[in-house]
Amino acid sequence: MAQQERAIRTRRAVLEAAAHVFAEHGYVAATVADILKTAGVTKGALYFHFDSKEALAKGVLELQTDQQLPAQETRLQEVVDITMTVAHRLPVDAVLRAGARLSSDPVGREHYGSAWTLWVSVLTDLLSEAHRNGETLAHVEPREIAELIVGAFHGVQLFSHLETNLVDVEHRISVLMSHLMPSIAAPAVLLRLDMAPDRGARVLGEATRTTVTVA
């Protein structure tokens, strides 16, 4: 059991190191040597888990949606919460920053894929349930809205990254959701949605308290 736990920790350490390197240098310029140096592990330990740089990129992308958030009264609030918590984590989370950079690399993504498809799937499921629950307007097509949110989020975070190094990303994503939700949410649901810039921090704080209480 101890050996298995050690292997899990090593794998996570390698992925986090790869995320830092990919976020800083991009896929093409990143090297396995850089990742080894950042991770502080042996080449054998790295290749035990990942046989190539491509596999490392895929592993980083698979972590993008790895978060458990508290359930909310409506699925549309959960859609908002996903966007706001990702916005909150972006400035300090190398895994998310690497996912954004890897996903927008037109050369690299031909080899390892994109996090966008994962996010679209997650949001489509929530929006489909919201639609069945009567939370959305009748014209809403869940997958179309999911793709719109993912595409718009990427554009906003990229703009924020280039303009302010993500200092204002939570504010900008809050503005995005405040303008988007009125076009898809039923009026009664819209009135109850919390899309404030600090929503992500509050939700993650709630998630942490819940985890501690359960433990």
Side-chain angles (χ1 to χ4, degrees), residues 92-155:
V92 295
D93 192 324
V95 170
L96 289 176
R97 294 200 310 277
R101 184 160 186 175
L102 289 169
S103 297
S104 59
D105 185 329
V107 177
R109 59 183 283 138
E110 294 292 329
H111 301 282
Y112 50 71
S114 166
W116 296 348
T117 54
L118 298 175
W119 284 119
V120 167
S121 178
V122 168
L123 294 176
T124 297
D125 288 346
L126 285 173
L127 288 163
S128 295
E129 187 174 350
H131 194 59
R132 291 192 296 270
N133 293 345
E135 298 175 23
T136 65
L137 300 174
H139 70 272
V140 166
E141 292 289 343
R143 185 172 182 85
E144 288 183 357
I145 300 302
E147 291 176 349
L148 175 63
I149 292 173
V150 171
F153 186 102
H154 177 69

Side-chain angles (χ1 to χ4, degrees), residues 72-77 80 133-135 185-195 199:
Q72 302 297 331
E73 180 184 357
T74 65
R75 300 293 81 79
L76 283 188
Q77 184 63 65
V80 171
N133 293 345
E135 298 175 23
V189 175
L190 180 63
L191 289 173
R192 302 198 303 272
L193 291 180
D194 183 350
M195 299 175 280
R199 175 66 184 175

Side-chain angles (χ1 to χ4, degrees), residues 7 9 27 30 58 68 83 119 121 136 147 162 169 213:
R9 288 196 300 270
Y27 179 77
K58 289 180 178 178
Q68 296 294 322
T83 64
W119 284 119
S121 178
T136 65
E147 291 176 349
L162 296 175
V169 67
T213 300

Side-chain angles (χ1 to χ4, degrees), residues 160-180:
S160 175
H161 177 72
L162 296 175
E163 291 292 316
T164 68
N165 197 30
L166 296 175
V167 169
D168 63 356
V169 67
E170 288 177 273
H171 169 73
R172 291 186 182 278
I173 295 300
S174 173
V175 170
L176 168 65
M177 300 309 290
S178 296
H179 284 277
L180 175 62

